[in-house]
Amino acid sequence: MTTERALARRFGPRDSDHPAAERRWGLLAGMLLLVQVMTGCSALGGPPDRLAEAEADARDAVADLVAEVGAKNGARTRTADQIGRALAASPQADLISISGVDTGDPDGVTALLRVVGTGKDGSWLEPEWASEEFCFELRFAPAPPADPPTVPCPSLAARLTFPPPTEPKLPSPDELRRALVESSADEAGVWASLATFSLDPAIRVDVAARGGEVGVALRSPVRDSGRYDCVLARVRSEAVEAWRPAGVQLQPGELSCRATESLAGHGLQPPK
């Protein structure tokens, strides 16, 4: 049945002799055509398009997160703990699981992320935003994939959290002195003695030799403060000295905790 015949059955026969009736019929026909067009647009913007748009939105969030994690970890090799902590701290996604040792391993580190994406639903005149959950499998080995695959989200999977990181612990001056007394007064012997401590990777170790003496500097960041702790040592054939500079000497613009400073004896005596 044509649009005009359908309107005639509902509103009565068309009176072509009256211009007002002609305009009325034209207006009603135009309104019905607009409704048909709008209905067609709504069908085109239905669930399939909404899901595709939501997945694209979720992928953008994952790409931003991967770039952020890469920027926070400048080391060539990143452990699963380092990657997991960075991902778990982000509000953009839920870390569901993480496995592997580090990015230097052939199998790398694999993380499962749950991300919420949004897409438009409804007509183009009155769109409604709908949210959908997607899970992505990311592999860091040594570079993350550009387009991680989607995987089924495990049911009732809780967001993975990490306990606060432990503070890197420096050996005390006495501990450092006892270890270095057993070493020879050369760089190789000093490095061998330092290896017995199993120092945290966050601790910066600096060793330098000059004129038959070896200087040692161990610097550890103090978490969330911008400050650092420092232990210095000087190894000579006749004696070994080890000390912790006073707090005021570790302020910005003072000692930088370098082996060259330990060779010069900087920080050995507290300021007067």
Side-chain angles (χ1 to χ4, degrees):
M1 181 183 295
T2 65
T3 299
E4 188 172 358
R5 290 178 59 191
L7 291 173
R9 290 189 59 181
R10 183 170 182 180
F11 296 101
R14 176 178 175 181
D15 188 354
S16 59
D17 295 333
H18 295 82
E22 185 76 25
R23 288 193 299 270
R24 183 184 66 185
W25 284 107
L27 178 60
L28 290 173
M31 290 176 63
L32 181 58
L33 179 61
L34 179 60
V35 169
Q36 292 174 337
V37 171
M38 290 175 62
T39 302
C41 289
S42 177
L44 292 175
D49 286 347
R50 180 198 70 201
L51 289 175
E53 189 173 2
E55 181 177 342
D57 180 58
R59 284 190 177 278
D60 288 343
V62 170
D64 291 342
L65 184 55
V66 169
E68 182 181 354
V69 171
K72 287 183 177 179
N73 295 277
R76 292 179 60 87
T77 300
R78 290 166 293 162
T79 65
D81 184 75
Q82 290 173 323
I83 295 174
R85 288 182 181 278
L87 293 174
S90 174
Q92 294 178 281
D94 292 336
L95 176 63
I96 303 303
S97 65
I98 190 161
S99 60
V101 179
D102 56 44
T103 56
D105 187 82
D107 293 330
V109 175
T110 301
L112 179 62
L113 288 182
R114 181 173 57 207
V115 187
V116 175
T118 57
K120 291 191 295 293
D121 196 8
S123 69
W124 62 276
L125 285 179
E126 296 181 353
E128 296 179 358
W129 291 93
S131 299
E132 298 288 343
E133 282 188 350
F134 300 91
C135 283
F136 296 90
E137 187 177 75
L138 281 72
R139 185 168 178 264
F140 299 82
D147 191 20
T150 57
V151 296
C153 288
S155 59
L156 303 177
R159 177 176 181 151
L160 189 63
T161 59
F162 286 76
T166 57
E167 201 76 59
K169 187 177 184 301
L170 289 176
S172 69
D174 286 341
E175 291 172 330
L176 183 58
R177 184 185 302 108
R178 286 195 297 267
L180 293 176
V181 163
E182 303 298 327
S183 68
S184 56
D186 56 39
E187 289 189 67
V190 167
W191 278 111
S193 295
L194 293 175
T196 63
F197 285 110
S198 299
L199 297 173
D200 190 289
I203 295 175
R204 189 188 71 189
V205 181
D206 190 25
V207 176
R210 184 182 64 194
E213 300 180 353
V214 181
V216 179
L218 306 180
R219 172 172 167 158
S220 173
V222 178
R223 183 164 48 91
D224 299 330
S225 70
R227 298 182 292 108
Y228 60 90
D229 192 9
C230 177
V231 174
L232 301 176
R234 182 167 53 184
V235 180
R236 295 182 282 188
S237 57
E238 67 276 11
V240 175
E241 300 168 290
W243 66 97
R244 175 178 271 110
V248 68
Q249 294 173 306
L250 300 180
Q251 296 298 316
E254 301 297 328
L255 295 181
S256 59
C257 197
R258 289 288 185 181
T260 52
E261 293 174 323
S262 62
L263 284 170
H266 294 160
L268 184 57
Q269 299 297 327
K272 297 180 180 179

